[in-house]
Amino acid sequence: MADEIKGFIFDLDGVITDTAEYHYKSWQKLADEEDLFFNREVNEQLRGVSRMESLEIILDGKEVPEEQKKEWTDRKNSYYQDYLEEITKDDILDDMEEKLMKLKKDGYKLAVGSSSRNAKKVLKHLQITDIFDTIADGHSVENAKPAPDLFLYAANNLGLKPEECVVLEDAESGVEAALAAKMKAVGVGPESRVGKAHLVYANVGDIDFDEILKKL
Ligand code: G6P
Ligand code: MG
């Protein structure tokens, strides 16, 4: 029922902007330096996954001391943060800013729900921090997606019940988190990745909020 929707929770990487390429380049640099196997295919598995969990996926069972893991994830993050310095408003995907402004004007509550610990930095560079009523990021909760915790935290900050929220996600783990939170899920990307969502759009530019409000 459309009139039940009161807020929207946006994943950041892959929904509002595309930082996946910067994550890829940073992991690739680390992998080359440390002689770890990595390529674009492996990078696809890191979508929506936390920093340390991403390293575990790259290591693929290889045992490494905790201290080493910490140094590697810190180094990857410093490469990533260097790339972030180059991000500007132009990196907002398609017409996402106009879409956000329209939703805000129509009275909907807006949140970011990102696994990234760099989310606030990215939003600042995109110059859209103030559009959102709350920002839930990689610092907000202990249990990462696919656990529902991050989205429940965001909904709570918005003062909304889970069923009043729509989540927009490009990662399988994010869609699972939204469903686990009993929220309405909109997937962005191929069916093979986000097909479990209630509604799927291939690209950010295709997202139709009138349709979402009508169908979900
Ligand atoms: C997002 C990205 C992931 C990334 C994660 C953590 O969810 O999709 O690829 O690993 O954030 O990002 P961080 O900036 O904290 O390293
Ligand atoms: Mg994402």
Side-chain angles (χ1 to χ4, degrees):
M1 288 284 286
D3 58 351
E4 281 182 5
I5 295 172
K6 294 183 180 163
F8 292 87
I9 304 174
F10 292 81
D11 173 49
L12 179 61
D13 297 327
V15 173
I16 294 175
T17 187
D18 196 0
T19 42
E21 186 66 16
Y22 296 135
H23 281 295
Y24 163 71
K25 286 182 177 167
S26 311
W27 281 123
Q28 188 69 68
K29 191 161 183 221
L30 177 83
D32 289 347
E33 287 166 355
E34 297 301 334
D35 210 12
L36 301 168
F37 178 76
F38 188 71
N39 57 24
R40 285 190 181 274
E41 214 177 315
V42 179
N43 189 59
E44 268 305 299
Q45 297 171 40
L46 311 184
R47 211 175 264 272
V49 177
S50 75
R51 199 179 306 160
M52 190 52 86
E53 184 59 26
S54 298
L55 178 63
E56 297 292 356
I57 291 171
I58 294 168
L59 290 175
D60 194 24
K62 180 176 165 169
E63 289 198 25
V64 170
E66 287 306 316
E67 237 170 78
Q68 184 71 268
K69 289 184 193 169
K70 170 88 173 62
E71 196 272 312
W72 284 353
T73 49
D74 284 351
R75 201 191 315 161
K76 180 268 173 181
N77 192 49
S78 82
Y79 297 149
Y80 180 64
Q81 290 194 333
D82 287 344
Y83 285 119
L84 291 187
E85 290 307 318
E86 295 166 24
I87 289 190
T88 68
K89 226 178 183 11
D90 290 343
D91 291 287
I92 297 173
L93 286 168
D94 296 297
D95 57 346
M96 190 44 105
E97 188 174 11
E98 291 74 35
K99 282 175 166 152
L100 288 165
M101 298 297 277
K102 169 86 168 53
L103 290 172
K104 198 172 174 69
K105 193 172 131 268
D106 290 346
Y108 293 100
K109 296 268 185 212
L110 303 178
V112 168
S114 166
S115 310
S116 174
R117 294 181 173 220
N118 291 296
K120 286 186 179 154
K121 196 179 169 86
V122 174
L123 290 167
K124 189 169 163 232
H125 279 273
L126 299 175
Q127 297 168 45
I128 50 170
T129 307
D130 294 343
I131 297 182
F132 298 98
D133 298 287
T134 189
I135 294 159
D137 65 13
H139 297 284
S140 304
V141 297
E142 193 115 339
N143 299 323
K145 302 168 189 177
D149 304 36
L150 187 73
F151 292 141
L152 292 173
Y153 173 90
N156 190 49
N157 282 358
L158 294 178
L160 300 180
K161 291 184 276 188
E163 54 273 29
E164 293 172 331
C165 298
V166 175
V167 169
L168 290 102
E169 259 293 349
D170 72 312
E172 186 173 17
S173 62
V175 169
E176 284 170 1
L179 296 176
K182 304 255 183 305
M183 296 180 181
K184 300 168 207 290
V186 173
V188 183
E191 284 279 342
S192 57
R193 198 172 73 209
V194 292
K196 288 181 200 150
H198 297 113
L199 206 53
V200 172
Y201 295 102
N203 299 294
V204 170
D206 303 327
I207 300 173
D208 179 345
F209 283 96
D210 290 333
E211 183 182 43
I212 291 172
L213 290 163
K214 213 181 296 164
K215 288 195 177 165
L216 296 187

